[in-house]
């Protein structure tokens, strides 16, 4: 068997130096949209952090109010719709303090 040489094909077409303007605009637009989205996520995360901090402060405030109610009324079980104090039942009867 005789060995055959593989012929090497030469590409005579010159290599492109740049992408087309249309391709460039599309890739720039896509990258800009990614950057804007990441910036917006950062802004949302900052607002989320601020809101979480605010909630923590409000919970502390609620705890102080509950302590005040416990001291003044003996319970902090309050109906927040109408302000009714839900006293604990003692021997099956509601303890009504005035």
């Amino acid at each position: 068997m005789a060995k055959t040489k593989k012929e090497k094909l030469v590409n005579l077409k010159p290599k492109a130096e740049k992408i087309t303007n249309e391709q460039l605009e599309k890739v720039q637009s896509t990258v800009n949209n990614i950057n804007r989205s990441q910036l917006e996520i950062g802004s949302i995360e900052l607002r989320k952090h601020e809101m979480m901090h605010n909630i923590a402060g409000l919970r502390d405030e609620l705890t102080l109010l509950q302590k005040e109610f416990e001291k003044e009324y003996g319970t902090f079980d309050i109906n927040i719709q109408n302000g009714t104090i839900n006293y604990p039942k003692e021997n099956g009867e509601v303890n009504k303090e005035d």
Side-chain angles (χ1 to χ4, degrees):
M1 278 193 180
K3 288 187 177 180
T4 59
K5 286 188 175 181
K6 291 185 180 180
E7 291 183 25
K8 207 177 197 185
L9 296 177
V10 178
N11 186 357
L12 298 177
K13 183 178 174 185
K15 291 183 179 180
E17 291 184 24
K18 288 184 168 184
I19 60 176
T20 66
N21 284 338
E22 184 179 292
Q23 291 170 323
L24 178 61
E25 287 174 10
K26 189 169 184 175
V27 75
Q28 286 174 337
S29 173
T30 301
V31 169
N32 285 337
N33 287 334
I34 289 170
N35 289 341
R36 262 184 269 160
S37 295
Q38 289 175 331
L39 183 63
E40 185 65 22
I41 287 170
S43 177
I44 290 168
E45 285 295 325
L46 178 61
R47 288 195 328 243
K48 175 185 167 185
H49 177 77
E50 291 170 345
M51 293 175 86
M52 296 290 283
H53 186 73
N54 188 39
I55 288 171
L58 291 169
R59 285 185 176 158
D60 290 343
E61 187 177 329
L62 180 60
T63 299
L64 292 175
L65 287 169
Q66 289 173 332
K67 287 179 182 178
E68 287 179 29
F69 295 149
E70 181 79 36
K71 185 177 179 182
E72 187 171 343
Y73 301 109
T75 184
F76 61 84
D77 187 2
I78 309 294
N79 181 321
I80 63 168
Q81 299 300 315
N82 60 23
T84 303
I85 301 169
N86 300 312
Y87 289 104
K89 293 185 178 183
E90 295 178 15
N91 298 329
E93 291 186 24
V94 174
N95 179 11
K96 293 185 179 180
E97 295 181 10
D98 290 318

